[in-house]
Amino acid sequence: MMNLITAIVMASGFSKRMGLNKLLMKYNDKFLIEHTLEKISQGDYAEKIIVNQYEEIEKLTDNFKVVINENAHKGQSESIKLGVKSSEKCDGYMFFVADQPLINQKDIEKLIRVFRENKDFIVIPKYKEKRGNPVIYPSLYKEEILRLEGDKGGKSIIKSSNKIKYVEVEENTLFDIDNKDDFNKLLMRKGHNE
């Protein structure tokens, strides 16, 4: 039987370091977030959920279940918990951040494949020594996820787990946009989104 994975996109941050909503900045004639959503839409998931606080982003999410985050100020853990609470029963939660426009479809599929072979393991992408997203958490961590607080995300769960699989991915997959320098680097990489 196929293992069912729920894709959860966390898109309710405040982009403080950017000074404006980075997800609505344009790259290759699309909003940053659209690149991520398109890649996820190509995959096979039990459900696709986006946790969001912006009307403009909601308009871009045709085939996603939209969950409104009214407590985004409480930190990243709020998005994570809302996504999990909104999910139907599944084998794992695959958490995407919305600011990785170069994420590679083959890498996403590779992570899912590793999870399907090891569904009690947290699956984390890495390039050399750098780790990033999307991370897949088995549903057996659901209660721990729902106890998360503040802006830590799932790092505390990863630290206390001895069941982790690291999967080597392309450097571009982990490239995320935190500030204007990152965005300028992205513009210089134009054409590397294939």
Side-chain angles (χ1 to χ4, degrees):
M1 189 185 105
M2 275 292 206
N3 297 338
L4 298 172
I5 294 173
T6 296
I8 299 172
V9 186
M10 297 177 295
S12 52
F14 290 98
S15 308
K16 285 181 183 146
R17 282 176 282 185
M18 188 65 84
L20 68 158
N21 190 343
K22 62 184 174 185
L23 302 182
L24 295 172
M25 292 171 77
K26 284 277 180 92
Y27 167 63
N28 280 358
D29 300 322
K30 291 178 193 158
F31 295 121
L32 275 186
I33 189 169
E34 287 183 280
H35 294 277
T36 308
L37 297 180
E38 278 177 14
K39 288 290 186 318
I40 295 167
S41 294
Q42 292 167 27
D44 183 25
Y45 302 95
E47 273 185 295
K48 296 186 287 289
I49 296 171
I50 181 163
V51 184
N52 171 44
Q53 63 163 329
Y54 302 103
E55 259 178 60
E56 304 92 322
I57 288 175
E58 202 173 328
K59 291 173 189 159
L60 307 170
T61 56
D62 284 350
N63 54 355
F64 285 74
K65 180 199 278 186
V66 177
V67 178
I68 301 301
N69 185 354
E70 291 173 353
N71 293 306
H73 60 278
K74 289 186 178 178
Q76 193 185 35
S77 62
E78 203 61 26
S79 284
I80 293 170
K81 291 190 285 192
L82 281 170
V84 168
K85 283 178 190 167
S86 307
S87 170
E88 302 289 333
K89 193 171 168 43
C90 63
D91 294 306
Y93 310 103
M94 188 169 194
F95 290 98
F96 291 84
V97 290
D99 62 354
Q100 287 179 251
L102 304 179
I103 193 166
N104 179 302
Q105 186 65 30
K106 286 191 183 89
D107 284 338
I108 294 172
E109 287 164 13
K110 196 194 292 186
L111 291 162
I112 290 171
R113 200 163 50 246
V114 170
F115 177 73
R116 287 188 167 144
E117 291 161 7
N118 309 272
K119 66 178 187 147
D120 291 341
F121 283 74
I122 299 172
V123 177
I124 303 172
K126 75 180 186 75
Y127 174 77
K128 295 183 177 170
E129 295 310 304
K130 185 183 179 189
R131 296 174 185 124
N133 291 295
V135 175
I136 307 176
Y137 289 87
S139 56
L140 57 93
Y141 288 95
K142 181 176 181 177
E143 293 311 314
E144 278 181 73
I145 291 170
L146 294 177
R147 286 197 295 270
L148 291 172
E149 294 291 334
D151 224 358
K152 288 191 179 69
K155 286 190 179 83
S156 57
I157 296 173
I158 291 167
K159 274 184 188 150
S160 63
S161 175
N162 58 0
K163 288 192 159 187
I164 294 173
K165 292 267 179 203
Y166 290 102
V167 178
E168 199 67 35
V169 297
E170 289 184 18
E171 184 179 13
N172 273 346
T173 284
L174 298 187
F175 181 75
D176 62 352
I177 312 294
D178 284 330
N179 52 46
K180 291 195 170 93
D181 281 350
D182 292 339
F183 189 69
N184 290 333
K185 281 182 203 157
L186 174 68
L187 296 179
M188 291 192 296
R189 291 177 184 222
K190 248 188 194 307
H192 290 280
N193 197 18
E194 303 318 313

